[in-house]
Amino acid sequence: MHLEYGPLEMDYVYEFINKAIEAGIDEIGILDHTHRFREFMPLYDNLRFIDKQDQWLKGERKFCNGLDEYIDLISKVKSQKLPIMVKFGLEVCYVPECEDFLKGLLDNYCFDFLVGAIHSIDGRLYDMPFSDEILWKVFNPDDIYKRYYELCLQAANSGLFTQLAHPDTIKMFNIYPSYDLASTYRKLAQALRDNDVEAECNTGCHYRYHHNDVGLSSELLKVLKEYGVKIVTASDAHRPADVGRCIREAELLINDID
């Protein structure tokens, strides 16, 4: 879950904690997107060649805090006697050209977990309202999918992350490739297992974008379980009201896969 739309303050964190308790959850992970923090600005330079992406990066709560402010909040929260386990991390936009930059920066901090996320295909965001005009209507979906999973594999093999965010959220607009993804899923599962990287079963694609899959597709889930990949559920809550949303349904789906 993300503090993205609120302040880096104890009271706001407690709103998420209290919602988790109401939902019967005893452990949560809080991770803000790297586009909140000024230190990560160079990571997004490759998006600025498109005006709408540049405007998005100039929007509210982009690069509005320093990492030290986040670290300070983490220290304050962890100093409290909390009713549930609260872990802190970052959701890091993975850009292969920036691996050295990311390693140099992230090595200065000690987070409970680090989540690698693919949000763009070579400088074009795939998950925005304007993505249709800059990506999906410009390139063949087969090529988009192939590049997306190349990036997922690179992120899994990078040694930077403990978790891969929403590994099939590229499906969010119900656009699919013409080819079978089975071999791609097996390659990804092997990379995740070999690097001890967890796969995230994220329900946000379901309740925010109305995709039929509650989390990961049954096809991908089956392959991940076959390879013994660790799976973590994520409600991807950007607001306290969404904490734990659809998590029970996702857990049932994971457990039902043989």
Side-chain angles (χ1 to χ4, degrees):
M1 54 200 66
H2 306 283
L3 305 177
E4 183 171 357
Y5 296 137
L8 295 179
E9 295 178 0
M10 283 280 296
D11 288 347
Y12 193 52
V13 173
Y14 267 103
E15 290 186 40
F16 286 83
I17 291 173
N18 292 335
K19 286 293 181 180
I21 293 169
E22 288 178 20
I25 295 170
D26 58 12
E27 180 177 321
I28 61 173
I30 293 175
L31 61 159
D32 256 9
H33 289 281
T34 44
H35 57 61
R36 179 172 191 147
F37 302 104
R38 289 185 288 272
E39 289 87 346
F40 289 97
M41 286 184 73
L43 194 60
Y44 298 89
D45 285 346
N46 71 329
L47 301 181
R48 295 188 182 276
F49 75 103
I50 294 175
D51 183 63
K52 287 187 177 180
Q53 293 183 158
D54 187 48
Q55 291 306 310
W56 177 74
L57 289 168
K58 293 175 180 176
E60 187 178 7
R61 297 198 181 280
K62 300 297 188 295
F63 313 115
C64 60
N65 294 104
L67 271 173
D68 287 345
E69 295 173 74
Y70 188 43
I71 298 300
D72 183 56
L73 174 66
I74 293 170
S75 297
K76 288 178 181 176
V77 172
K78 290 193 170 188
S79 71
Q80 306 295 306
K81 187 175 182 180
L82 301 172
I84 62 173
M85 173 68 73
V86 181
K87 295 181 178 180
F88 283 89
L90 284 173
E91 181 168 331
V92 182
C93 284
Y94 175 72
V95 179
E97 296 82 6
C98 294
E99 275 195 21
D100 290 342
F101 165 76
L102 285 172
K103 180 172 175 52
L105 178 55
L106 294 171
D107 279 352
N108 295 317
Y109 301 90
C110 186
F111 293 102
D112 296 318
F113 59 100
L114 286 170
V115 181
I118 309 303
H119 287 289
S120 63
I121 308 297
D122 295 327
R124 296 172 186 263
L125 295 166
Y126 67 80
D127 56 355
M128 301 295 285
F130 51 78
S131 294
D132 207 30
E133 65 183 87
I134 68 167
L135 182 70
W136 292 106
K137 287 185 176 179
V138 179
F139 300 97
N140 187 315
D142 285 9
D143 295 330
I144 295 171
Y145 266 79
K146 286 174 184 176
R147 184 57 179 148
Y148 174 79
Y149 279 107
E150 285 175 0
L151 292 167
C152 285
L153 278 169
Q154 285 181 269
N157 288 319
S158 69
L160 292 168
F161 309 117
T162 60
Q163 186 176 314
L164 182 64
H166 40 66
D168 70 346
T169 196
I170 191 75
K171 68 188 177 184
M172 62 193 302
F173 296 129
N174 283 297
I175 301 171
Y176 290 93
S178 63
Y179 65 93
D180 189 346
L181 287 164
S183 63
T184 299
Y185 289 162
R186 287 194 290 271
K187 289 177 185 177
L188 179 61
Q190 182 170 339
L192 293 170
R193 181 192 63 192
D194 291 351
N195 291 283
D196 196 24
V197 176
E198 296 175 327
E200 183 185 88
C201 186
N202 187 309
T203 65
C205 196
H206 176 63
Y207 70 82
R208 282 210 301 274
Y209 296 95
H210 312 296
H211 195 281
N212 284 337
D213 292 343
V214 174
L216 295 172
S217 70
S218 57
E219 294 83 3
L220 180 51
L221 272 174
K222 186 172 183 178
V223 173
L224 292 174
K225 293 191 76 172
E226 177 188 337
Y227 277 75
V229 175
K230 299 173 185 175
I231 300 171
V232 58
T233 55
S235 60
D236 199 26
H238 287 61
R239 304 180 189 278
D242 289 327
V243 170
R245 191 164 175 181
C246 301
I247 286 292
R248 299 303 178 208
E249 295 96 317
E251 288 174 343
L252 288 172
L253 287 171
I254 293 168
N255 292 332
D256 284 346
I257 296 289
D258 294 326

